[in-house]
């Protein structure tokens, strides 16, 4: 695979995000697309109220333009496009309703479920049409399991699980942008190793888009990505894992996202069953903030964990 194309995809997406930021951030501010802050969270976050959100538009637009330029428009191209832009669209509608209609919860749970299910089904149909393998490999072993139609159940679970896990991770300046770039870095290497051109180009574009967005999202953030970005990132990441046949490696490479989601599940479950909380606040990055860590320490620690898990995932996948 041509490494030059990969580097160009990263560079183009990064440059586009850096150029789009100064255009979109003032526009989002003028339209009063400001972030609402939880009053029960870290008090240091209260000063972030009103910071422009829906900045995920910057990421998705930069990735889309770079991907269109350097991809080959194969069947895999459409799977990646539907997964990222489709789930990103659900996130956009959620953000829009929260901000414009002043509904703190955005889309209802049922509306969000239906929207995500529609795009998950479309992805499954595309995979069937391209005769995508329904066998999965166990990382670190030679074991291959043929799932048959159950594979598409796994696809839906992956799309739902990844988008929600990534969404939980978006809560501290630069946290998701950094960990997302690291994860897509791992998937770029795995896609190149598997000669999956579209997945490699898409992952590379995501690296550039996320790092370009990080220029504006690093502490103190000038813009937040909102569900527009987090759901789009999650959908794209799940699609890359599916196309590169690294379905189970996603749990390792995306380990930070898994930890974030598990912290929420454990917190809710513990409170409902025992009336007690395990963490000071979930997702777990807020627990560390309330334990006295500043944002930069939380972010860099999570980035470091993400890098270690990404390296493990790449080593297991090669």
């Amino acid at each position: 695979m041509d490494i030059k194309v990969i580097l160009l995809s990263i560079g183009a997406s990064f440059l586009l995000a850096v150029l789009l930021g100064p255009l979109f951030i003032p526009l989002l501010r003028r339209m009063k697309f400001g972030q609402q802050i939880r009053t029960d969270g870290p008090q240091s976050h209260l000063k972030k109220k009103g910071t422009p959100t829906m900045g995920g538009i910057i990421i998705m637009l930069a990735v889309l333009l770079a991907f269109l330029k350097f991809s080959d428009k194969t069947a895999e191209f459409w799977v990646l496009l539907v997964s990222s832009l489709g789930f990103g669209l659900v996130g956009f509608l959620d953000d829009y309703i929260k901000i414009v209609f002043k509904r703190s919860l955005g889309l209802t749970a049922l509306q969000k479920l239906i929207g995500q299910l529609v795009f998950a089904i479309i992805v499954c149909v595309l995979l069937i049409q391209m005769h995508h393998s329904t066998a999965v490999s166990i990382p670190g072993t030679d074991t291959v399991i043929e799932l048959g139609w159950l594979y598409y159940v796994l696809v839906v679970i992956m799309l739902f699980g990844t988008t929600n896990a990534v969404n939980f991770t978006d809560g501290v300046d630069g946290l998701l942008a950094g960990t997302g770039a690291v994860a897509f870095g791992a998937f770029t290497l795995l896609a190149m190793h598997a000669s999956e051109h579209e997945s490699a180009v898409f992952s590379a574009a995501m690296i550039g888009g996320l790092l370009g967005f990080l220029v504006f999202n690093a502490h103190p953030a000038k813009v937040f990505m909102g569900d527009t970005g987090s759901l789009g990132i999650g959908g794209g990441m799940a699609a890359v894992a599916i196309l590169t046949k690294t379905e189970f490696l996603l749990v390792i490479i995306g380990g930070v996202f898994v930890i974030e989601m598990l912290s929420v599940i454990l917190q809710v479950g513990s409170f409902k069953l025992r009336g007690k909380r395990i963490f000071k606040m979930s997702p777990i990055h807020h627990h560390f903030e309330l334990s006295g860590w500043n944002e930069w320490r939380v972010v860099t620690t999570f980035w470091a964990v993400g890098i270690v898990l990404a390296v493990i995932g790449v080593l297991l996948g090669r």
Side-chain angles (χ1 to χ4, degrees), residues 87-106:
F87 279 84
L89 176 60
V90 175
F92 174 84
L93 292 174
D94 193 41
D95 286 335
Y96 188 83
I97 291 171
K98 287 178 185 175
I99 297 165
V100 176
F101 294 100
K102 309 300 181 185
R103 276 173 48 183
S104 60
L105 296 178

Side-chain angles (χ1 to χ4, degrees), residues 137-174:
S137 301
I138 306 301
T141 73
D142 295 325
T143 304
V144 177
I145 304 172
E146 174 57 56
L147 294 180
W149 66 270
L150 286 174
Y151 180 78
Y152 300 104
V153 176
L154 175 63
V155 167
V156 174
I157 292 173
M158 286 178 65
L159 287 166
F160 273 79
T162 308
T163 51
N164 282 287
V166 170
N167 183 244
F168 284 134
T169 309
D170 184 29
V172 180
D173 296 355

Side-chain angles (χ1 to χ4, degrees), residues 100-116:
V100 176
F101 294 100
K102 309 300 181 185
R103 276 173 48 183
S104 60
L105 296 178
L107 291 172
T108 65
L110 179 60
Q111 290 170 335
K112 189 178 291 188
L113 174 66
I114 292 173
Q116 292 177 317

Side-chain angles (χ1 to χ4, degrees), residues 10 16 25 51 77 90 97-98 107 109 122-123 152 186 231 234 292 313:
I10 295 174
L16 284 166
I25 294 173
T51 300
F77 168 86
V90 175
I97 291 171
K98 287 178 185 175
L107 291 172
I122 294 174
V123 169
Y152 300 104
L231 295 187

Side-chain angles (χ1 to χ4, degrees), residues 139 187 190 246-254 312-314 316-317:
F187 279 116
L190 291 173
T246 54
E247 294 92 348
F248 293 141
L249 280 178
L250 175 60
V251 178
I252 298 173
I253 294 172
I312 294 172
V314 171
L316 288 172

Side-chain angles (χ1 to χ4, degrees), residues 206-268:
M206 270 292 188
I207 295 171
L210 286 166
L211 291 179
F213 182 75
L214 188 58
V215 171
F216 311 103
N217 185 237
H219 185 72
K222 299 179 181 65
V223 64
F224 301 134
M225 68 174 69
D227 287 3
T228 305
S230 60
L231 295 187
I233 293 166
M237 192 177 297
V240 170
I242 291 164
L243 292 175
T244 55
K245 302 304 299 175
T246 54
E247 294 92 348
F248 293 141
L249 280 178
L250 175 60
V251 178
I252 298 173
I253 294 172
V256 169
F257 314 128
V258 174
I259 292 168
E260 293 274 24
M261 183 169 66
L262 285 177
S263 72
V264 174
I265 294 173
L266 291 172
Q267 183 86 324
V268 173

